[in-house]
Amino acid sequence: MYTTELKDKNEKNTKPVGAGLAAEDPQRLAVFEARVAADDFIEPKDWMPEAYRKTLTRQISQHAHSEIVGMLPEGNWITRAPSLRRKQVLLAKVQDEGGHGLYLYAAAETLGTSRDEMVEALHSGRAKYSTIFNYPTLTWADIGAIGWLVDGAAIMNQVPLQRTSYGPYARAMVRICKEESFHQRQGYEIMMVLAAGSPAQMHMAQDALDRWWWPSLMMFGPPDDNSPNSAQSLRWRIKRDTNDQLRQKFVDVTVPQADAIGLKVPDPDLKWNEQRGSYDFGAVDWEEFYAVVRGEGPVAKERMNARVSAWEDGRWVREAALAHAEKRRASRLAAE
Amino acid sequence: MVEENALFFHAVRLGDDALVLGQRLSAWCGHAPMLELDLALANIGLDLLGQAALFLGLAGEVEDKGRDTDALAFHRDALDFRNCLLVEQPNGDFAQTIARQFLFSNWQELLMREIAAAPEPRLAAIGQKALKEIAYHARFANEWVVRLGDGTDESRERMIAGLEWMWRFVDELFDPKDGAPSHRADWDSRVARVLAEAGLEQPKPRRGVLGGRAGHHSEHLGHLLSELQFLPRAYPGAVW
Amino acid sequence: MSKEWPLWEVFVRAKNGLSHRHVGSVHAADAKMAIEAARDTYTRRMEGVSLWVVPSAGITASDPGDAEALFAPAADKVYRHPTFYSIPEHIRNI
């Protein structure tokens, strides 16, 4: 998810990606841009313009926040998974998402912001996370839909990032992409079984597709003409394709997958266009997207509440571990 | 439900312990004090769920009435569950969760050493695999008892409270009526060593609460099973 | 803001015969916790036989600005590389 675009279109005073570049030393900047253009990687101690450091920090940390908050909608069904195998697979998937958050926080920290600061930004509402996780998981079929559609969309966003300009981010993305493919297959398998099951299960699967389809399309961000940061992001290899290009690709790949299991995409305007070799599809409700970005998603409060509680309720644990380590260090020194 | 097969019940006890504790631990995912702990607790949970699948699978095989792992996990009521009372206790705060893990894993490790050397080869195979995992669980729990016991005043209080909650369920682990091996001396000395390092006193001896091995559980198990079993029971015969 | 768990850099040896490679970092209060966190985070899929964790503060890195001074002089001492010397092909074991 190109999280640098998670802002309300009417937000004032938000600096575009690349703000402040004019103030940088032109020679160093030219060398830097040339390296990036040559597909070279920027590493933590390299000189970089302030704007790049800020943009990457925001992009990577918001990506990390998305993984962490993303543990919650699926975590909601671990204790109710309908078989032991499904329970194990779901727990492993959610654990992976926590791990992805860890890799990404680690990458962002190399740019000079601490994990605590990033967590504080999330909890205060200053930092954003992918809009998709503000929707509720109402049935077991939602778990299938998330794996199939949400992970599917994430994979499309993430594969190009394996060659993004910032070394630690690119390496984190390589790890993440390796682990993602099982996530999507797990989801689609759930949907396959439901769609071939009892009438109640088929209904459950179709209902989940109905609710998760449009929010998944929104994951690719606003339409290209409303994406002012695209040029700079493309130059810095934060994105490879435009939002609309990826969204189209997602539709083209996913509709046949729905057809294959007898599920119907909830779009009356969906139609194969022989000339373009692509699907025409209906208009996305961008007002809904911007409302969710503003924090008005259906379960945004529940998500934030859960994360803030985990952090605050766990404060005494973190403090205890530090206090203990300090005591041990002191007694080791005293013994010397 | 009357069943004479001792191996069946043995496997069910082992499987139910792992299933119930795995279920408890999986509830922490996304809510732990630190991201690194979300991963650690999920790891232990996954190990236990894996053990549950193997032990219950063996039980179903031995019973030979067509019940597989899921049939046993999702379609027995509380009276037919044979887990110890310790594992069904609520997560509470992190200290309570650690107290439960500490007391259980140190016992489970001693038990599993015997199982790994059992004459019944299928049981022994599962035991050997589980033993490696459990050694790590015990180490993890021991280290956290020490960190919390010898951390801050608050963590010490909470660790004491956690142990106080769980201590009444220790005797059941060693109840000779259930053929539970008498590792009590070994377990006592391990636990005492860790508590000493943590600067904690041994909780006062008290009357042990029993019954789990006979299907008489605490009030907690019913709620746990409601959540665990809801879907298969709401959609009988459905495949997931 | 209260004190944070320190940062540790993680190095994994994938299998015997290979070197340890840097894979990322974890936060932990002490070394034992750091090893366990590193194991849980970076070797869930059996990716390693050996783990090193080093406090990030313990790492001294060369300054990329010094790359010229540190690394360039080696570039023109080509006599250090075996390909600099032409040995007739019929000479064996060299």
Side-chain angles (χ1 to χ4, degrees), chain B residues 182-196:
Chain B
S182 50
H183 296 305
R184 188 70 196 244
D186 263 341
W187 184 89
D188 278 341
S189 74
R190 282 180 166 221
V191 162
R193 202 174 52 237
V194 175
L195 291 178

Side-chain angles (χ1 to χ4, degrees), chain A residues 61 64-65 68 101-109 115 118-119 122, chain B residues 35:
Chain A
S61 63
H65 297 326
I68 302 314
L102 267 171
Y103 307 151
L104 291 165
Y105 282 130
E109 282 194 270
R115 172 130 38 117
M118 291 188 268
V119 168
L122 173 68
Chain B
L35 204 40

Side-chain angles (χ1 to χ4, degrees), chain A residues 79 86-87 115 201 307 318, chain B residues 23 30 33 36 227 240:
Chain A
T79 54
R86 291 287 179 213
K87 192 191 290 288
R115 172 130 38 117
Q201 286 176 302
R307 289 312 309 157
R318 299 190 299 276
Chain B
Q23 173 79 351
E36 284 80 352
E227 223 174 294
W240 301 93

Side-chain angles (χ1 to χ4, degrees), chain A residues 45-317:
Chain A
K45 289 201 65 170
D46 291 347
W47 182 90
M48 60 185 79
E50 230 4 74
Y52 180 84
R53 185 186 301 278
K54 280 207 170 75
T55 298
L56 263 298
T57 301
R58 196 160 81 243
Q59 165 74 17
I60 302 171
S61 63
Q62 290 184 166
H63 194 165
H65 297 326
S66 300
E67 295 283 353
I68 302 314
V69 177
M71 292 168 78
L72 297 170
E74 289 169 298
N76 185 33
W77 278 88
I78 295 174
T79 54
R80 289 177 293 170
S83 75
L84 210 42
R85 182 173 163 263
R86 291 287 179 213
K87 192 191 290 288
Q88 288 172 277
V89 168
L90 184 57
L91 180 54
K93 178 178 196 282
V94 175
Q95 185 193 40
D96 267 356
E97 276 146 27
H100 294 174
L102 267 171
Y103 307 151
L104 291 165
Y105 282 130
E109 282 194 270
T110 64
L111 287 163
T113 307
S114 73
R115 172 130 38 117
D116 270 13
E117 284 173 284
M118 291 188 268
V119 168
E120 162 65 30
L122 173 68
H123 292 177
S124 69
R126 275 192 333 272
K128 303 284 184 191
Y129 54 91
S130 189
T131 51
I132 193 73
F133 301 118
N134 292 304
Y135 293 84
T137 48
L138 303 181
T139 70
W140 176 249
D142 287 34
I143 301 304
I146 287 177
W148 173 35
L149 303 174
V150 175
D151 283 279
I155 288 170
M156 264 183 202
N157 275 327
Q158 282 166 184
V159 165
L161 286 173
Q162 294 178 107
R163 291 209 51 89
T164 191
S165 57
Y166 190 57
Y169 192 21
R171 288 188 288 277
M173 292 317 305
V174 169
R175 280 200 93 89
I176 289 173
C177 286
K178 270 204 195 101
E179 299 177 358
E180 281 292 357
S181 54
F182 119 67
H183 295 184
Q184 197 191 16
R185 274 204 290 277
Q186 168 258 22
Y188 189 64
E189 195 193 65
I190 291 175
M191 294 304 263
M192 259 171 59
V193 170
L194 292 175
S198 68
Q201 286 176 302
M202 282 165 58
H203 171 67
M204 211 188 269
Q206 182 61 60
D207 176 74
L209 175 55
D210 289 347
R211 281 180 291 105
W212 288 91
W213 177 255
W214 292 103
S216 298
L217 294 195
M218 292 175 201
M219 281 178 75
F220 297 97
D224 293 347
D225 53 8
N226 269 349
S227 296
N229 296 318
S230 283
Q232 187 64 268
S233 300
L234 284 163
R235 235 194 359 260
W236 282 346
R237 305 196 329 252
I238 297 173
K239 64 201 261 189
R240 268 292 168 78
D241 306 286
T242 70
N243 298 353
D244 286 337
Q245 279 170 342
L246 282 178
R247 194 175 1 258
Q248 179 67 69
K249 189 164 152 207
F250 177 77
V251 172
D252 290 342
V253 160
T254 312
V255 170
Q257 291 170 345
D259 290 341
I261 56 179
L263 295 178
K264 196 166 170 330
V265 164
D267 182 356
D269 299 317
L270 185 73
K271 211 164 77 151
W272 177 251
N273 184 319
E274 193 57 54
Q275 258 183 329
R276 294 195 305 124
S278 238
Y279 281 96
D280 291 335
F281 56 94
V284 174
D285 180 359
W286 292 109
E287 285 317 307
E288 179 180 330
F289 172 76
Y290 287 116
V292 178
V293 168
R294 278 197 306 271
E296 294 165 25
V299 292
K301 284 202 183 300
E302 280 87 343
R303 299 295 179 239
M304 269 303 98
N305 201 47
R307 289 312 309 157
V308 172
S309 299
W311 188 252
E312 292 304 323
D313 294 350
R315 187 177 291 280
W316 68 268
V317 176

Side-chain angles (χ1 to χ4, degrees), chain B residues 100-119:
Chain B
R100 183 183 61 201
Q101 200 68 46
F102 169 61
L103 301 175
F104 180 76
S105 293
N106 280 296
W107 170 79
Q108 203 196 21
E109 192 179 2
L110 293 167
L111 176 71
M112 210 53 69
R113 280 200 197 140
E114 261 197 24
I115 306 268

Side-chain angles (χ1 to χ4, degrees), chain B residues 88-164:
Chain B
E88 69 196 53
Q89 297 309 304
N91 286 338
D93 65 6
F94 187 67
Q96 190 164 309
T97 286
I98 288 298
R100 183 183 61 201
Q101 200 68 46
F102 169 61
L103 301 175
F104 180 76
S105 293
N106 280 296
W107 170 79
Q108 203 196 21
E109 192 179 2
L110 293 167
L111 176 71
M112 210 53 69
R113 280 200 197 140
E114 261 197 24
I115 306 268
E120 162 45 69
R122 289 169 297 177
L123 200 58
I126 303 172
Q128 279 152 30
K129 179 176 186 292
L131 199 52
K132 290 184 211 139
E133 297 169 346
I134 295 164
Y136 182 77
H137 305 171
R139 205 178 88 187
F140 173 85
N142 294 346
E143 285 169 10
W144 273 104
V145 169
V146 172
R147 281 187 198 112
L148 299 182
D150 189 24
T152 59
D153 290 340
E154 179 174 5
S155 70
R156 185 188 153 78
E157 268 173 44
R158 287 175 183 263
M159 193 64 243
I160 291 170
L163 288 164
E164 280 295 313

